Amino acid sequence: MSLRLGDVAPNFKAQTSQGEIDFYEFLGDSWGILFSHPADYTPVCTTELGRTAALKDEFAKRNVKVLALSVDPVDKHLGWIGDINETQNVSVEFPIIADDDKKVSELYGFIHPNASATATVRSLVVIGPDKLVKLIITYPASTGRNFVEVLRVVDSLQLTAHHSVATPANWQQGEDVIVVPSISTEDAIKKFPKGVKEIKPYLRYTPQPDVK
């Protein structure tokens, strides 16, 4: 299966480091991030899971629940979590899926045979409260994820969902955003009381709506 943007994120039940979960029940009305790891006790993934744990409050204030996956069993996950907590000076409090049968990995397309027939690639999927896939980022096993970028794209996705705006290249929180093409300039002026700056009829900026 090849998962694409706008697809319904498949539901599943799985054993995790925190017991069995139903994915949809776990997410509830929250945004979700599901991210895969090639195996337990790998150095790059150890730093990634540590960074995720350290950003607990950042994910919480964005109403995002995180869920990791590795193709190893629960007992290995529990031992690895001990190492992560020790070496990264954190407390891992989110579940890690034990996908030793690779069912979830195959469901989400995390196995790329030309990279490895048995290990998952380092993929990250952002899922909206509507259970649709909003973002897919895939890294090779050797490259750790940039979690500043993960938070940035979540902020962008949530702005688009709530305010009908897009974000320009290198956008950061608090900077001007772009009025989406589906809104006319006349309607944009009514919708965005902070003002609309028209560079071209198709390129219009407005201050970020949710910033006072």
Side-chain angles (χ1 to χ4, degrees):
M1 174 182 175
S2 177
L3 203 64
R4 294 168 296 189
L5 298 183
D7 286 352
V8 175
N11 193 26
F12 57 84
K13 290 184 178 179
Q15 293 296 329
T16 78
S17 56
Q18 297 182 3
E20 185 178 72
I21 66 159
D22 176 285
F23 186 47
Y24 279 10
E25 289 181 4
F26 172 79
L27 291 180
D29 295 328
S30 300
W31 289 70
I33 291 179
L34 173 64
F35 59 117
S36 58
H37 300 271
D40 292 2
Y41 297 104
T42 49
V44 175
C45 295
T46 296
T47 64
E48 289 188 333
L49 292 179
R51 188 65 185 139
T52 303
L55 291 169
K56 172 187 173 183
D57 292 343
E58 292 297 321
F59 288 118
K61 74 182 185 182
R62 291 167 172 81
N63 191 30
V64 174
K65 291 183 178 178
V66 296
L67 182 65
L69 174 148
S70 176
V71 290
D72 282 313
V74 168
D75 58 337
K76 287 191 70 176
H77 285 358
L78 296 177
W80 187 29
I81 288 170
D83 280 5
I84 296 166
N85 291 346
E86 176 191 348
T87 62
Q88 307 302 304
N89 194 29
V90 295
S91 177
V92 172
E93 298 176 2
F94 53 86
I96 304 176
I97 295 170
D99 195 35
D100 39 332
D101 60 6
K102 301 181 180 63
K103 285 185 178 179
V104 179
S105 297
E106 291 171 356
L107 193 62
Y108 274 78
F110 291 161
I111 301 288
H112 293 194
N114 289 333
S116 171
T118 57
T120 56
V121 291
R122 187 173 280 113
S123 286
L124 182 147
V125 181
V126 176
I127 299 159
D130 54 6
K131 306 301 185 289
L132 299 183
V133 174
K134 306 297 184 182
L135 175 84
I136 302 171
I137 310 176
T138 300
Y139 294 80
S142 58
T143 304
R145 284 173 261 241
N146 182 336
F147 282 88
V148 172
E149 172 65 3
V150 172
L151 291 174
R152 190 188 78 91
V153 294
V154 168
D155 288 339
S156 174
L157 290 166
Q158 292 183 345
L159 272 175
T160 299
H162 297 306
H163 299 286
S164 303
V165 296
T167 53
N170 296 335
W171 172 84
Q172 299 292 333
Q173 267 285 8
E175 296 178 351
D176 287 356
V177 295
I178 292 173
V179 179
V180 295
S182 60
I183 299 177
S184 68
T185 298
E186 182 181 2
D187 289 340
I189 291 169
K190 297 174 185 176
K191 183 177 179 65
F192 302 111
K194 294 179 181 179
V196 175
K197 182 180 180 182
E198 184 178 295
I199 308 300
K200 293 285 184 180
Y202 61 87
L203 180 59
R204 299 151 306 160
Y205 289 88
T206 187
Q208 184 174 328
D210 61 351
V211 172
K212 296 180 180 179

